[in-house]
Amino acid sequence: MDGHWDGYDSIGGSVPLDLVNTVSWRRDPARRDDRLSAPERLSEWVVLVGAGTERLEISESVLETVKSFRETLYDVLVSDPQDVTPLRKPLLAAYRYAELPPALPLKWTVPLTDGTALPHFLALAAEELLRSGELDRIRECEGPGCGWIFTDQTRNRSRRWCSSSDCGNRARAKRHYDKGARDKGRG
């Protein structure tokens, strides 16, 4: 990997959330950066987030399918109330592709043996996330323009930023600057 992933952290708490976070500065059009700019980048990401152990051969059409799914998932996660209807088609396709191991507990799987399996693998991973009891812990970073999504694992559910050292630090620096400017104006 050539530094393309510098500044990217797997902070989502799950592969589907990390997929959504492959767009940096989602809510700031001037800074927006889609890290899945080429099939090779998607292949690198699969290894980076631990979804697979080796790079996959990814076609341009698989890349476009994954990017479309990523945007659909983002919309579902940030919509209020959440409408999961847009996920129906990718999930039905995933179940047609998936395997059901002959043992309990029942769990549909999509082995990542080639790039064509990736959209199906991601759809089932998203379904698993959306079935979990953790939905009320999924948050969008409060950093202006950020748009990254994460699972808030704090005891009091108080996490506000994708990263304390990134958007959190930026917010603290702004508060400090604003306080200094206010104090200066009083003097």
Side-chain angles (χ1 to χ4, degrees):
M1 296 186 210
D2 59 8
H4 177 79
W5 292 102
D6 290 348
Y8 174 86
D9 289 318
S10 298
I11 59 96
S14 69
V15 170
L17 297 183
D18 287 333
L19 174 66
V20 168
N21 295 342
T22 58
V23 175
S24 297
W25 302 107
R26 179 180 291 279
R27 294 191 175 267
D28 184 348
R31 296 170 70 185
R32 185 180 170 105
D33 179 23
D34 185 347
R35 293 179 188 262
L36 299 183
S37 56
E40 307 81 54
R41 300 301 187 202
L42 178 54
S43 184
E44 291 169 358
W45 175 83
V46 167
V47 175
L48 183 70
V49 298
T53 56
E54 55 190 60
R55 293 177 66 174
L56 301 171
E57 191 68 37
I58 307 282
S59 69
E60 196 67 43
S61 69
V62 166
L63 173 65
E64 291 310 312
T65 300
V66 168
K67 288 170 72 169
S68 175
F69 179 74
R70 173 190 66 192
E71 298 309 308
T72 299
L73 182 59
Y74 174 77
D75 291 344
V76 165
L77 291 169
V78 299
S79 68
D80 189 33
Q82 294 174 337
D83 177 12
V84 296
T85 306
L87 295 175
R88 179 177 166 73
K89 190 175 178 181
L91 282 171
L92 288 172
Y95 275 107
R96 283 192 292 273
Y97 193 93
E99 300 171 357
L100 185 60
L104 293 175
L106 294 178
K107 182 175 166 93
W108 291 93
T109 60
V110 174
L112 280 180
T113 54
D114 61 55
T116 59
L118 186 58
H120 309 300
F121 172 86
L122 294 170
L124 289 183
E127 180 191 35
E128 187 173 329
L129 172 69
L130 296 173
R131 282 180 184 255
S132 76
E134 301 291 306
L135 290 179
D136 60 336
R137 291 185 172 271
I138 295 175
R139 308 259 191 282
E140 184 172 16
C141 180
E142 292 181 16
C146 180
W148 273 18
I149 306 285
F150 56 87
T151 303
D152 180 359
Q153 296 294 345
T154 61
R155 174 176 265 155
N156 64 356
R157 301 176 187 217
S158 62
R159 184 173 168 190
R160 299 173 53 198
W161 301 292
C162 60
S163 168
S164 178
S165 63
D166 191 355
C167 287
N169 191 48
R170 224 177 263 108
R172 286 187 294 278
K174 182 177 181 340
R175 264 196 323 271
H176 179 73
Y177 175 82
D178 290 349
K179 183 181 182 301
R182 279 193 311 272
D183 292 347
K184 196 174 191 178
R186 293 182 196 155

